[in-house]
Amino acid sequence: MAESFNKAVLKTSSLGYVQTFLAKSGAGVLYSFNVYSVSGQYIQIHDRFTQTGGPVYTARVAADSNLAYNFTKGAQFSTGILFSTSLNPQNTDSTGSANAYFTVEYI
């Protein structure tokens, strides 16, 4: 029989406007994120704790806007939960502006 237990969802935010934000190092589950961006750019989410390799999620945020997303059942990450900004949706590009503010909920 599988063991059942509840974990409290944690909430973290960047300490100001950033280009990358490590929400969690190590395995975890992402439940939601909200990002405010001064400029129009792409938000990338990586399954790693350093900014190498392509993202697993990419979304566009308009200038002077918020982008919020809820993962109903949570999104599994095995290595880390890293956010970055990008000027285009290419998987290898991560050269966005350092003007995004992130709030993230995870376990």
Side-chain angles (χ1 to χ4, degrees):
M1 176 188 242
E3 185 175 322
S4 176
F5 58 92
N6 293 323
K7 290 186 177 180
V9 174
L10 303 172
K11 186 174 186 177
T12 187
S13 298
S14 57
L15 296 176
Y17 293 111
V18 296
Q19 193 270 329
T20 61
F21 175 59
L22 179 62
K24 182 177 189 326
S25 61
V29 179
L30 176 63
Y31 284 100
S32 70
F33 71 89
N34 183 42
V35 59
Y36 170 78
S37 182
V38 174
S39 62
Q41 56 191 336
Y42 291 90
I43 303 302
Q44 298 179 338
I45 309 173
H46 303 263
D47 187 1
R48 52 190 76 249
F49 58 88
T50 60
Q51 191 177 333
T52 58
V56 292
Y57 298 100
T58 300
R60 175 92 173 132
V61 61
D64 195 27
S65 295
N66 283 304
L67 171 68
Y69 192 82
N70 292 310
F71 296 89
T72 306
K73 295 183 180 183
Q76 298 283 330
F77 288 78
S78 61
T79 308
I81 304 172
L82 176 73
F83 289 81
S84 67
T85 62
S86 175
L87 299 179
N88 66 57
Q90 298 297 323
N91 285 348
T92 57
D93 180 76
S94 56
T95 57
S97 300
N99 60 13
Y101 181 82
F102 296 91
T103 303
V104 178
E105 291 183 324
Y106 68 93
I107 57 169

